[in-house]
Amino acid sequence: MKINNRRKTILAVYGFSFILLLDFIFLFFADRFLKMNDTTLYVICFIIFLLASWRLITLKLFSLEITEHIISVKYGNLFSQLKRPVLEVPLQKVVSLKIDKEIMDRILLISIKSKRGIRNFHYRIGSISNTEAEKFEKIKNIIKASSINEA
């Protein structure tokens, strides 16, 4: 079973690119037709440009894949299209798996049993669709079932 945020991330890229385009168009026409202070206009457009650019740069592609015995988390930059595995562990070592919602993103929290105790891993996954959220609930149930069978 596999969960990824590719579709939502691509939509976000289109949305933020459109905001950047509107920012430049607004700057061009506002400079010509509006009677605004140039400094105020440039500051507003620069702030919008910085926020949209920062958001584009920080977008990440995320993939959570679960097989019969292994859970794998792959994470990568949107522009390189290369997803590297950042976590691959046996399924029986996973203690808990949950998604926390922040203001603009969601964070995947994975707790794993190790020799030194329980280790926690945090991954920014952006936004995921409802079908991906349903798949995530199925994965949580599989992990609960495997931890019950182990005990």
Side-chain angles (χ1 to χ4, degrees), residues 19-34:
I19 288 172
L20 287 173
L21 179 68
L22 286 179
D23 187 40
F24 287 123
I25 291 171
F26 175 74
L27 180 63
F28 177 75
F29 286 112
D31 194 32
R32 306 265 188 280
F33 300 114
L34 291 178

Side-chain angles (χ1 to χ4, degrees), residues 78-145:
L78 179 71
F79 300 109
S80 70
Q81 295 292 325
L82 177 67
K83 287 194 253 181
R84 295 186 201 129
V86 291
L87 180 68
E88 286 186 351
V89 294
L91 197 56
Q92 66 267 13
K93 287 191 174 187
V94 177
V95 176
S96 72
L97 187 71
K98 73 177 188 175
I99 294 180
D100 281 345
K101 194 171 184 180
E102 284 190 347
I103 295 172
M104 293 178 68
D105 282 337
R106 292 180 187 218
I107 295 180
L108 175 68
L109 302 169
I110 301 176
S111 299
I112 296 172
K113 284 187 282 189
S114 68
K115 292 178 184 177
R116 298 180 186 159
I118 295 179
R119 295 192 61 196
N120 296 317
F121 296 92
H122 308 273
Y123 301 104
R124 269 187 207 284
I125 61 173
S127 61
I128 56 175
S129 65
N130 291 336
T131 57
E132 300 294 325
E134 290 172 8
K135 285 184 189 177
F136 180 76
E137 290 300 320
K138 289 179 184 175
I139 288 175
K140 277 176 51 175
N141 292 336
I142 290 171
I143 290 174
K144 283 181 187 176

